[in-house]
Amino acid sequence: MIRKNLSRLVLLSALALCTAVSWVSEAGAARNSAMAEAKLQLVTQAPTQAQPPANPRNMTFPPLKFQLPRSERVQLKNGMIVYLLQDHELPIVNLTAYLNAGSVYEQEAKTGLASLTGAVLRSGGTLKTPADKLDRELEFMASSIESGINSDNASVSLATLSKNLDRTLTLFAEVVREPAFDPERVELAKSHALEGIRRQNDDPKGIAGRELARAIYAGHPLGRIPTIATVNAITRQDMIDYHRRFFYPANMIVAVSGDFDREELLKRLERLFGDWPNQTAPFPAVPAPGEEMTPAVLHVQKEVNQSVIRMGHLGIDKNNPDLYALKVMEYILGGGFTSRLTQEIRSNQGLAYNVDAYFEVGRRFKGPFIAETETKVDSTARTIKLLESIITGMTQSEVSEAELKLAKDSIINSFIFAFEKSSSVVTQQARLEFYGYPKGYLENYRDNIARVTRADVLRVAKKYLAPENMKLVVVGDQKKFDQPLSTFGKVQEIKLNNN
């Protein structure tokens, strides 16, 4: 029986093999016939002369058209302004509130109050939700609420999954309106601030940036830094008073983006903030920084392998009519790998890994112009001289047409990357109103850059660059400098202390 079955199996296998061989043979013949026919077709249809491959250097393309994404602006009954941009791609909502506040409004004797208030605003819990419970609940929902106050604004933000928006928004409103400033969290924040002051001289770059700001903004709130004495003078009641003074609906602009229902969100915001009273007291007067610019050479002795070099002077604010020409000029001077500073100091001379120069455009007050680099201690003076000569050169002759074109193309082409995310779009548009930028600023930005000429670049360089009046700060070991800093003027030694 077994032999009979085996014989039958062998017979069936042989028949299958014959069939497969026959099929492959027929398929192969058919394929060969089709290929031959295709080749013949190609030969008969081929042009008499082969076309050369396209040269990428000669290829042209129509100009890209980019329309700015738009968000919706709504004003609530209590004066709060809300910018909305729906994006249902991911089940996430981001919200940021900006308030006109900042360290410029704090008393000199309590420098550091604004930043401490901003930190404890969120970490200190609310009158309805204690700090520990707030931490746990946000963590459970995978939500976050963050707060902070810098020199010219306060911000409170949230990020949450759409399904948890309602509860997270409720907690956000509590943080903004009813912070508890838990006494233990206040003391913890002060302890962190004091530890930061004690360690503030560990980083040479931090020292140089701090001392340059103090020199440029001497006597102005922007030039102040917290000390152990000023932080110790700050009380919990100071934080409560600061919050009460600057946090109110008409002083707040909110930007919301993500996966939310417009009508439901606006109703929710009205319920959470509708009965929040406004403040009537005028804002404290803050004088403008002094306009007089005088040179200075400041040295901080520190035994390090690299000297940190910072130089600069008072610059411009956002309302300056030459803003666009200055943007092009700073790009050519120190704005990237093709800039004059990078090409000479890094590429040609090999004196530094990083070097740049820029105008930090002020939004409420004039910001500084800063040139910065780090170099080996024994090439300190040589690098300073190159920095000064290249900056001076910008004021003496027009840039080349190639430099101008590269700068303008780079600025214009990189413009679209500011709008990659919906959260970036809506917060940017909210900030433009918050800081009082002129209408059409974004819409006209690329055209205003494109209109800049070589003559414009030279004109603004002569007008706004003052290499003869810069504050020079060097953090390094003077015993190893290639030349004494007195080469650049009378040296003022800055003694480091941690108080």
Side-chain angles (χ1 to χ4, degrees):
M1 185 69 179
I2 294 174
R3 288 182 179 176
K4 188 180 292 184
N5 289 337
L6 284 174
S7 300
R8 187 178 298 171
L9 182 62
V10 170
L11 180 61
L12 289 172
S13 298
L15 288 172
L17 179 63
C18 291
T19 304
V21 169
S22 174
W23 180 85
V24 169
S25 180
E26 291 176 7
R31 183 170 60 252
N32 290 339
S33 174
M35 289 176 64
E37 185 177 346
K39 287 180 181 177
L40 180 63
Q41 216 172 15
L42 284 172
V43 169
T44 56
Q45 293 178 0
T48 56
Q49 187 173 1
Q51 295 295 321
N55 186 341
R57 294 180 178 84
N58 300 329
M59 296 174 70
T60 58
F61 302 93
L64 293 174
K65 293 182 179 180
F66 172 69
Q67 292 293 328
L68 283 176
R70 301 299 304 171
S71 56
E72 179 186 6
R73 182 187 185 276
V74 178
Q75 187 164 13
L76 305 185
K77 295 174 183 177
N78 59 11
M80 183 190 299
I81 295 168
V82 182
Y83 279 82
L84 303 166
L85 183 59
Q86 290 177 294
D87 181 357
H88 301 293
E89 184 175 359
L90 295 172
I92 296 173
V93 178
N94 290 284
L95 181 151
T96 302
Y98 297 101
L99 298 101
N100 184 8
S103 61
V104 293
Y105 299 121
E106 65 192 7
Q107 299 174 28
E108 185 173 4
K110 298 195 175 185
T111 301
L113 171 60
S115 61
L116 280 172
T117 303
V120 187
L121 189 75
R122 152 66 184 89
S123 69
T126 76
L127 297 180
K128 295 177 181 176
T129 310
D132 290 339
K133 182 180 178 183
L134 178 61
D135 293 340
R136 289 194 303 270
E137 189 167 358
L138 289 173
E139 184 178 2
F140 178 77
M141 294 188 296
S143 299
S144 68
I145 296 177
E146 298 177 356
S147 62
I149 302 177
N150 59 28
S151 63
D152 63 9
N153 79 65
S155 65
V156 188
S157 61
L158 73 78
T160 184
L161 296 172
S162 303
K163 64 179 182 179
N164 297 325
L165 175 59
D166 191 65
R167 178 57 182 163
T168 307
L169 194 58
T170 299
L171 295 174
F172 170 86
E174 290 181 18
V175 169
V176 172
R177 294 187 55 174
E178 304 171 296
F181 294 106
D182 178 87
E184 290 186 6
R185 298 295 180 97
V186 169
E187 291 307 312
L188 181 62
K190 289 179 65 174
S191 296
H192 287 165
L194 292 171
E195 182 61 23
I197 292 170
R198 294 187 183 100
R199 300 179 61 181
Q200 66 182 340
N201 295 325
D202 293 350
D203 178 16
K205 295 181 184 179
I207 295 169
R210 179 188 75 216
E211 296 302 329
L212 181 61
R214 291 178 68 183
I216 292 175
Y217 293 103
H220 191 270
L222 291 175
R224 298 174 190 161
I225 61 168
T227 66
I228 290 177
T230 63
V231 170
N232 279 330
I234 296 168
T235 66
R236 174 176 178 269
Q237 187 59 48
D238 291 328
M239 297 181 186
I240 294 172
D241 293 341
Y242 189 95
H243 169 266
R244 185 178 296 128
R245 175 66 186 81
F246 295 106
F247 280 65
Y248 54 92
N251 193 37
M252 190 161 98
I253 292 181
V254 178
V256 193
S257 63
D259 182 31
F260 60 88
D261 180 275
R262 175 191 179 277
E263 298 301 326
E264 286 299 319
L265 178 67
L266 289 176
K267 288 178 183 177
R268 188 69 178 146
L269 290 174
E270 285 283 8
R271 285 197 299 269
L272 292 171
F273 294 100
D275 61 345
W276 190 17
N278 273 307
Q279 175 67 260
T280 57
F283 266 74
V286 181
E291 295 284 342
E292 184 179 357
M293 291 191 287
T294 55
V297 180
L298 309 171
H299 173 243
V300 179
Q301 174 61 25
K302 199 168 181 68
E303 295 180 2
V304 288
N305 294 326
Q306 277 196 326
S307 291
V308 178
I309 301 168
R310 300 288 185 267
M311 56 177 67
H313 53 65
L314 195 66
I316 64 169
D317 63 22
K318 70 180 189 307
N319 297 316
N320 193 295
D322 293 321
L323 175 66
Y324 307 100
L326 284 166
K327 285 288 184 185
V328 175
M329 187 275 291
E330 76 174 25
Y331 189 94
I332 296 170
L333 173 61
F337 282 107
T338 61
S339 71
R340 291 185 176 186
L341 287 176
T342 298
Q343 287 295 305
E344 185 60 27
I345 294 177
R346 173 178 165 152
S347 301
N348 297 341
Q349 303 293 333
L351 294 174
Y353 178 78
N354 176 68
V355 56
D356 55 16
Y358 54 90
F359 281 89
E360 195 174 281
V361 179
R363 292 162 298 202
R364 302 201 188 280
F365 305 96
K366 286 186 176 181
F369 166 75
I370 298 174
E372 57 187 15
T373 192
E374 298 82 39
T375 188
K376 291 184 296 185
V377 180
D378 59 5
S379 59
T380 300
R382 180 183 171 194
T383 303
I384 293 171
K385 288 179 180 178
L386 271 174
L387 276 168
E388 290 182 339
S389 66
I390 295 170
I391 293 171
T392 301
M394 290 295 300
T395 69
Q396 294 177 336
S397 59
E398 289 187 354
V399 300
S400 69
E401 193 61 45
E403 286 178 308
L404 180 73
K405 184 178 186 307
L406 178 61
K408 293 200 298 185
D409 287 349
S410 298
I411 295 170
I412 291 171
N413 292 337
S414 64
F415 180 76
I416 62 172
F417 294 109
F419 306 94
E420 288 183 295
K421 298 185 296 185
S422 58
S423 58
S424 301
V425 173
V426 72
T427 54
Q428 189 173 54
Q429 292 173 357
R431 284 168 65 86
L432 288 175
E433 177 170 352
F434 179 77
Y435 284 116
Y437 276 79
K439 289 189 180 300
Y441 173 80
L442 286 179
E443 291 79 0
N444 299 322
Y445 187 86
R446 289 168 296 168
D447 290 340
N448 286 327
I449 292 292
R451 280 194 284 268
V452 174
T453 66
R454 294 165 63 195
D456 291 331
V457 172
L458 179 59
R459 176 180 59 80
V460 297
K462 287 182 175 180
K463 184 174 181 180
Y464 298 100
L465 290 180
E468 73 284 357
N469 282 325
M470 284 197 290
K471 313 288 187 185
L472 169 64
V473 177
V474 180
V475 179
D477 189 354
Q478 62 181 346
K479 299 187 296 295
K480 299 179 181 179
F481 291 165
D482 47 338
Q483 286 182 273
L485 286 185
S486 56
T487 305
F488 306 99
K490 184 179 179 181
V491 180
Q492 177 186 343
E493 291 290 339
I494 296 175
K495 302 297 182 183
L496 293 179
N497 59 67
N498 295 319
N499 59 13

